[in-house]
Amino acid sequence: DGKLYGSISAKDISNAALEVGKELEKSSIVLAQPIKFIGIYEVKLHLHHSVETSVLLNVARTKGEAEEAIAKYKKASSTTNT
């Protein structure tokens, strides 16, 4: 069903960024709601008082599940943009 045991927090996202060599302060991560299911989420970042952006966060249990989610996201994006 894709439900996680618990939820993904700003600290979890910050730690994941560090694992790939990116420093991201947890206070800059804005979660509109708790992430409790696998999937792809748009996460807003407040990097400075005048600098905001967003990133896509892929929440998955396995690498295969992550790759499958990316493929579905790309397919859905290509059909909505044409």
Side-chain angles (χ1 to χ4, degrees):
D1 69 350
K3 186 164 174 60
L4 300 172
Y5 299 106
S7 62
I8 303 294
S9 69
K11 182 177 180 181
D12 296 321
I13 296 169
S14 177
N15 289 341
L18 279 175
E19 288 179 17
V20 295
K22 305 294 179 189
E23 187 173 341
L24 188 58
E25 303 228 3
K26 65 181 181 181
S27 61
S28 68
I29 301 166
V30 180
L31 295 175
Q33 57 191 5
I35 298 174
K36 296 184 177 190
F37 292 90
I38 61 170
I40 296 180
Y41 297 86
E42 183 176 2
V43 176
K44 292 185 181 184
L45 305 175
H46 288 252
L47 304 175
H48 188 268
H49 74 278
S50 62
V51 179
E52 295 180 2
T53 191
S54 62
V55 296
L56 292 178
L57 175 68
N58 189 348
V59 178
R61 293 176 285 233
T62 65
K63 184 176 179 179
E65 195 173 72
E67 291 169 351
E68 184 179 318
I70 291 168
K72 285 180 182 178
Y73 179 83
K74 286 181 178 179
K75 184 176 180 180
S77 294
S78 68
T79 59
T80 58
N81 292 331
T82 53

